[in-house]
Amino acid sequence: MADTDPDELERRIARTRAELAHTVDAIADRVSPKRVAERTVADVRSRAGHFVASVGDALGVTPRPVEFGDNPEQVWDEERPEVGPLLIGVGAVLVVGAAIVLWRRSRRRRGLR
C-alpha cells in the first residue's frame, strides 16, 4: 500500500526532483566555459611542469624550490645548469627541420614544372 500512498508518492517526487536538479547543476557546471577554461589552464600548467621536469632530468639538473626572499642572482649559484648541450640539440633540430622543408619545396617546384 505504500506505493499508492499520496504522501509517499509526493516524497518520492520531491526526492527525484532534488536529485535531478543536482544532476542538472553538475552538468551545467561541468560544461560552463569558465570551468572548461579553468580545467584547460590547470591541465596545461601540469603538462608544462612535467615537461620542465623532464628537460631538467635530461640535462641532469634537479630543480630547487625558490623560497620567498631568495636573491634572484644567487638562485643558480649552487647548481648552475649546463644549457650548452640543450642549445646545440635545439639548433640541430631547427637546422634539420629547415633542410627538410627546403627539400620538400624544391621537390614540389620540380614536379610542377
Side-chain angles (χ1 to χ4, degrees):
M1 293 251 178
D3 290 343
T4 58
D5 182 25
D7 293 334
E8 177 63 27
L9 288 174
E10 286 181 20
R11 282 192 293 276
R12 283 186 181 179
I13 291 171
R15 186 174 37 241
T16 302
R17 282 184 183 160
E19 290 171 359
L20 182 60
H22 179 72
T23 302
V24 169
D25 288 343
I27 291 171
D29 186 54
R30 185 166 181 86
V31 298
S32 99
K34 181 180 178 182
R35 297 289 185 225
V36 170
E38 288 172 354
R39 284 193 306 273
T40 303
V41 167
D43 184 47
V44 168
R45 282 185 180 165
S46 172
R47 289 175 189 247
H50 292 302
F51 176 74
V52 168
S54 67
V55 168
D57 288 344
L59 292 175
V61 176
T62 54
R64 179 178 66 85
V66 178
E67 296 177 11
F68 183 75
D70 279 351
N71 186 351
E73 274 121 39
Q74 295 177 345
V75 169
W76 289 106
D77 280 352
E78 297 169 5
E79 49 186 70
R80 187 168 297 275
E82 290 293 325
V83 294
L86 175 67
L87 293 176
I88 291 170
V90 169
V93 168
L94 290 175
V95 168
V96 169
I100 290 172
V101 168
L102 292 174
W103 177 67
R104 285 184 177 178
R105 283 186 184 173
S106 68
R107 282 187 57 202
R108 286 187 197 146
R109 287 184 188 146
R110 279 188 253 143
L112 294 176
R113 288 183 185 175

